[in-house]
Each structure stands twice: as C-alpha cells, then as structure tokens.
C-alpha cells in the first residue's frame, strides 16, 4: 500500500477557496493498522472524512453545498430536539470504529441519546451524498450497530432503521417520530439563510405543541 502521507495532499484545497464539489479518494488493500495510522496522521484536520470497510478506505473532502446541506439538517434536528425536550447530544463527525467488524466511519453529523459516555455508538447518523464512493455505507453502519441512518441524496431524505435482518427504509424516524420527512425535505431546500429557516420550523413546532 502507498504510505499514508501521499493520500492527503490531493484532497487539500488552496487556502482561501471554497470547493463546489466533493473530492473523493479510494484506496484498496488497507490494513486496520494502516487505517488507524492514517486517522492518527489526520488528527483534527478539518475537511477530510474517512470511511473504512474490510480493507477499502475512502477519504472525502466535502464541498460547500455538501456542508451547507448537512448543517441545515443538523440545525433542524437540534431545533426539534430542543422543542420536544429530547435528550439529544450532537457529536458532529466523530470517528466511530470497531476492529472486529473491520469498519469505521466519520458521518456528516451524528447524535447520541444522553452523551457518548452513556454509549459511544450514535443513535442517529446523517450522511449527505453528493458523490458516491465504492463503499456501501449501510454495510458500515450495520457493522457498527447504528440504529438509525439518514441519507440526503439528490433532493431526497431517506431514513433507514436497523432491524434483525439489516436496514430497511422507513417513512418515519424511530428516534424522532414527530418529524415530518416531507416537511424537513422542503425546509432543507428552502431559499434563504439557515437561521430564518430554523426559526420558521421552531414556530411550526410550537404551533403543534412540540408534537
């Protein structure tokens, strides 16, 4: 396998520029030890997210549209949690990995009921898909035991719930059953700044009594 250092420069944007598209690099035949070494070399380096599954490693540098969509989704989820008093804690793109499953991932956003001290596996992971790689993300999340995964892709929000036979797409969140998927989709695509969109959503939730 190529040394870890050369994997990083192609994903780095020039200082002062904002990428419009995601950049994706796929590397095969990566051992678990090499994966962990790459994580250590990246450290808290902003703008590079990793996904690992049975020897395949993807490094992704998200563009501006990607980050905008994941952030508005996160702010709407957090607004819902606050209005309904759901004890949700956000951990952004924290690394979740399990050596025995040979899987690791850094979601766009993830949430835990309570705190990570109560259990390190997120209750919910959110992924914005602007450019698809070779790794099946649901296979990764299933191996990690994440109960609920949301995908935003091509203007559509899909919710997957983990069951005994793997993930199945669902019309409603198990963690936040009061969320209307069609409404959330419309809000994510709404024009205007994020604060205005979130305030409008909070107003709707309060009109419904937070339900």
């Amino acid at each position: 396998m190529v040394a870890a250092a050369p994997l990083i420069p192609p994903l780095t944007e020039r200082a002062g520029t904002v990428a419009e598209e995601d950049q994706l690099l796929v590397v095969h035949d990566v051992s678990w030890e090499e994966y962990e070494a790459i994580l250590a070399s990246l450290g808290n380096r902003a703008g590079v997210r990793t996904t690992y599954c049975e020897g395949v490693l993807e490094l992704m540098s998200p563009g501006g549209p990607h980050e905008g969509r994941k952030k508005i989704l996160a702010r709407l989820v957090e607004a819902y949690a606050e209005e309904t008093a759901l004890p949700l804690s956000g951990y952004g793109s924290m690394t979740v990995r399990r050596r025995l499953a040979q899987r690791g991932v850094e979601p766009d956003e993830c949430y835990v009921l309570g705190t990570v001290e109560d259990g390190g596996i997120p209750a919910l992971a959110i992924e914005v898909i602007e450019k698809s790689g070779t790794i099946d993300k649901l296979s990764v999340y299933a191996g990690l035991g994440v109960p609920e995964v949301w995908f935003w892709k091509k203007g559509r929000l899909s919710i997957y719930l983990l069951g005994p036979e793997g993930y199945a797409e669902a019309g409603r969140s198990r963690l936040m059953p009061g969320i209307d998927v069609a409404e959330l989709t419309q809000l994510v695509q709404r024009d205007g700044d994020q604060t205005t969109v979130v305030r409008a959503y909070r107003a709707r939730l309060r009109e419904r009594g937070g339900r």
Side-chain angles (χ1 to χ4, degrees), residues 87-204:
L88 204 65
S89 295
Y91 288 90
S93 298
M94 76 171 181
T95 304
V96 184
R97 62 189 188 271
R98 182 174 289 171
R99 180 169 189 150
L100 287 177
Q102 288 289 292
R103 281 160 169 75
V105 70
E106 292 167 351
D108 282 313
E109 297 284 347
C110 67
Y111 296 90
V112 171
L113 285 175
T115 68
V116 287
E117 288 74 25
D118 301 322
I121 298 298
L124 167 65
I126 297 175
E127 292 274 1
V128 173
I129 308 296
E130 296 287 333
K131 183 179 288 187
S132 297
T134 59
I135 293 178
D136 179 357
K137 286 285 186 77
L138 282 179
S139 171
V140 176
Y141 283 113
L144 296 170
V146 176
E148 187 165 331
V149 181
W150 295 6
F151 287 112
W152 178 271
K153 185 176 182 180
K154 296 181 179 178
R156 181 173 182 265
L157 180 64
S158 304
I159 293 176
Y160 290 88
L161 304 179
L162 185 61
E165 298 181 4
Y167 285 102
E169 188 170 358
R172 192 166 293 275
S173 167
R174 183 186 294 147
L175 181 65
M176 292 170 281
I179 282 184
D180 184 311
V181 175
E183 179 182 45
L184 211 63
T185 300
Q186 180 268 327
L187 288 166
V188 170
Q189 299 180 100
R190 180 170 164 174
D191 292 333
D193 65 274
Q194 293 180 2
T195 296
T196 299
V197 174
V198 174
R199 288 181 65 189
Y201 187 45
R202 284 186 183 276
R204 294 183 193 179

